């Protein structure tokens, strides 16, 4: 777990967690104690649950209590691993609830074990903490619904949902944003973007459409999950000026707020589509459109892209030069490494358009 100091409002914190695939849940710590009777007394004294009592704003809300035990407190061997989502024995849960009757007798809403409006948690075994009583505020982004095995459009090398969500969050996607993926594949990144912000307008370009990748299947992946379908899914090479013009036209001939993509490194070079690495080629296209007065990326917009790197290789060879960035009006922000195995990593690289 991570303890978050009060650096932002609850509303902003909840919004942040809802779009984050790397956080499982967000809790408000109600009280701590050495024993469950003490925990109940401390919870009452905190006044954090008075809304669930008589005349409170949630006095009629349904509620339930769940227990999670970790480390040495876990009764089952498989629960001793931190970070795993495990259910604790019902007997332990009932015993703890009975010992906290002083608190629960004050709640006036109905108990609902399946679909409660308010869920409370008892935690044992958290590092450096006593028994903890907490209130669930929200869950992190649910990525399993986008897992490759659930997709209708299946490719050989699908981008995992965790990575897709991370890229979108690094790109700081906001409501109404225009988003462009020039190497869209099965559109995993655009699916994540639509999940985070349903009001976005997105465009994907993929040269392999209808050959190796079926466009109708991509659309079904969106509609079957009630996600906003991309404004356009274009078959073609995004390095073509005509294709980029078609992409802009799909969002009202405006530049994109964000370009976020996971290029097929090694594939385009082998087939002769480009001599430069995909990111370098893309940055040169941004520069060309900027010079021609038809920006692909708006001022203040962000370019977020994965760059793979084998152990011992010079990653700078796959990155745009300072001159390339200057011509494109881009400024380097950050790059973060994700090791994939002993010999291969991929770097998440971020740029911002400053000119």
């Amino acid at each position: 777990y991570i303890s978050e100091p009060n650096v932002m409002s609850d509303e902003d914190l909840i919004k942040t967690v809802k779009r984050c695939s790397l956080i499982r849940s967000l809790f408000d710590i109600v009280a701590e104690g050495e024993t469950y009777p003490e925990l109940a007394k401390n919870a009452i004294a905190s006044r954090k649950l008075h809304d669930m009592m008589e005349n409170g704003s949630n006095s009629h809300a349904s509620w339930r209590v769940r227990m999670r035990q970790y480390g040495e407190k876990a009764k089952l061997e498989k629960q001793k691993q931190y970070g795993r989502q495990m259910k604790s024995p019902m007997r332990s849960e009932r015993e703890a609830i009975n010992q906290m009757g002083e608190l629960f007798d004050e709640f006036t809403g109905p108990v609902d074990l399946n679909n409660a409006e308010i869920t409370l948690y008892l935690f044992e075994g958290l590092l450096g903490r006593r028994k903890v009583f907490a209130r669930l505020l929200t869950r992190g982004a649910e990525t399993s619904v986008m897992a490759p095995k659930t997709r209708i459009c299946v490719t050989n090398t699908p981008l995992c949902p965790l990575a897709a969500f991370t890229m979108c969050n690094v790109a700081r996607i906001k409501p109404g944003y225009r988003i462009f993926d020039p190497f869209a594949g099965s559109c995993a990144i655009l699916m994540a973007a639509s999940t985070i912000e349903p009001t976005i307008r997105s465009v994907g370009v993929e040269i392999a459409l209808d050959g190796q990748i079926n466009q109708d299947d991509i659309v079904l992946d969106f509609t079957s999950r009630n996600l906003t379908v991309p404004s356009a899914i274009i078959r073609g090479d995004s390095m073509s000026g005509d294709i980029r013009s078609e992409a802009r036209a799909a969002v009202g001939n405006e530049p994109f707020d964000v370009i976020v993509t996971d290029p097929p490194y090694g594939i385009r070079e082998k087939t002769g589509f480009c001599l430069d690495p995909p990111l370098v080629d893309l940055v040169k296209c941004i520069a060309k459109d900027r010079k021609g007065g038809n920006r692909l990326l708006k001022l203040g917009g962000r370019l977020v892209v994965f760059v793979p790197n084998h152990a011992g290789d010079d990653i700078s060879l796959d990155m745009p030069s300072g001159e390339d960035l200057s011509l494109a009006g881009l400024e380097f922000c950050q790059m973060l490494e994700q090791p994939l195995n002993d010999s291969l990593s991929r770097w998440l690289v971020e740029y911002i358009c400053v000119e």
Side-chain angles (χ1 to χ4, degrees), residues 302-313:
R302 294 180 187 273
L303 167 63
V304 176
V305 60
F306 268 133
V307 180
N309 181 244
H310 289 274
D313 289 352

Side-chain angles (χ1 to χ4, degrees), residues 261-288:
T261 190
D262 179 27
Y265 282 85
I267 297 176
R268 292 175 59 83
E269 294 93 322
K270 290 178 181 178
T271 54
F273 283 122
C274 60
L275 299 177
D276 292 317
L279 174 56
V280 176
D281 225 0
L282 177 58
V283 168
K284 289 182 177 180
C285 288
I286 294 174
K288 183 177 181 179

